[in-house]
Amino acid sequence: MITLHHCPQTRSMRTLWLLHELEVDFRVMLHSFDRTLRDPEYLSLSPAGRVPALEIDGERMFETGAITQYLCERFSPDRMGRSVASMDRMAWLVWLHFAETISQHTAALTQQHVALREDYMRSPIVMKLEAARVAKCYDALEARLSTPVENRDYLLTSGFSAADISCGQAVYMSRFFVTLENHPSVADWYARITEREGFVKSLPQGDGIYSQDFYAPWPVE
């Protein structure tokens, strides 16, 4: 049995979506973002106190990129993954791990807008810089998705894969802070992949981290 340790609206949503797409048997253990991840029992699964953590065949994994690569290589090397012999293997690895570039900037914005409770704790400069860095990530996706290549409906020419899941989930999070209005190809791609049943099943069923749909930039005085 596969057990996913998950908090809604975090990177573990990436793994949850992938597991639904893989159509394997698994169970989900929900955790409180601000409490149980610091418990010694959970730290034995994920030493940094982060999600996701995955239990599989008596072993434990953490780090989303590693989990995604392992699950794809084991259960779906040529559908969700791309095997070493695939012409898209290099691109698959690049875009799979580019998701973390997007997520690190979104994490900084989440800390500024959500985790810090008082306005005096927030940094307008950090907010502005991190939002600009997210927009740069959108630029990279836009350039990839707007390239006039046949069947470029997804990040890979060969079709939908875990690279779309990883980057798509990262964009799901970043859209709470930076819209896609200046990136039409990204917006079209995002709409396409989020119609998938696996994405819908990975959405929060109750409260998540974010209490509103969009957090407007904090003005620099």
Side-chain angles (χ1 to χ4, degrees):
M1 173 60 73
I2 298 172
T3 300
L4 170 64
H5 295 265
H6 171 58
C7 290
Q9 292 184 324
T10 68
R11 289 173 177 87
S12 60
M13 179 184 172
R14 205 174 294 168
T15 308
L16 180 58
W17 181 0
L18 175 61
L19 287 167
H20 283 301
E21 296 279 357
L22 291 172
E23 299 180 339
V24 296
D25 292 331
F26 67 95
R27 64 172 184 159
V28 176
M29 296 287 291
L30 287 173
H31 294 268
S32 170
F33 184 74
D34 58 353
R35 295 192 63 184
T36 59
L37 299 187
R38 301 294 179 265
D39 291 345
E41 182 179 1
Y42 185 75
L43 292 173
S44 71
L45 299 172
S46 179
R50 300 172 65 185
V51 287
L54 195 77
E55 297 181 77
I56 182 169
D57 296 339
E59 299 291 338
R60 301 168 177 181
M61 294 189 73
F62 53 93
E63 293 299 324
T64 50
I67 290 170
T68 297
Q69 192 166 344
Y70 176 80
L71 290 175
C72 288
E73 288 173 355
R74 176 165 174 179
F75 297 108
S76 187
D78 293 302
R79 186 171 62 88
M80 289 298 104
R82 294 296 184 272
S83 60
V84 174
S86 170
M87 62 176 289
D88 268 340
R89 171 69 173 185
M90 185 184 296
W92 184 79
L93 288 169
V94 168
W95 294 106
L96 177 71
H97 293 286
F98 185 69
E100 193 56 30
T101 299
I102 306 170
S103 293
Q104 67 175 332
H105 301 310
T106 305
L109 287 164
T110 300
Q111 181 185 58
Q112 290 290 320
H113 284 274
V114 180
L116 299 179
R117 304 295 185 183
E118 303 295 335
D119 282 348
Y120 76 87
M121 299 176 178
R122 310 180 202 279
S123 168
I125 298 298
V126 170
M127 291 174 162
K128 182 177 181 180
L129 286 172
E130 294 298 340
R133 287 165 179 160
V134 168
K136 284 291 184 183
C137 292
Y138 289 173
D139 289 346
L141 291 168
E142 184 74 16
R144 176 69 174 179
L145 292 162
S146 61
T147 301
V149 175
E150 186 179 1
N151 298 325
R152 184 53 62 76
D153 288 335
Y154 304 103
L155 289 172
L156 304 184
T157 305
S158 54
F160 181 80
S161 74
D164 296 288
I165 292 173
S166 294
C167 285
Q169 186 276 334
V171 170
Y172 164 79
M173 300 282 286
S174 65
R175 287 171 63 256
F176 285 97
F177 307 103
V178 184
T179 71
L180 295 175
E181 61 183 352
N182 295 321
H183 298 86
S185 295
V186 181
D188 289 347
W189 162 80
Y190 180 78
R192 186 177 306 115
I193 63 174
T194 55
E195 290 179 345
R196 298 180 69 91
E197 184 179 0
F199 172 80
V200 175
K201 287 182 175 179
S202 72
L203 290 169
Q205 300 303 306
D207 293 337
I209 294 173
Y210 306 108
S211 60
Q212 55 195 66
D213 293 334
F214 183 75
Y215 292 81
W218 218 44
V220 179
E221 296 181 0

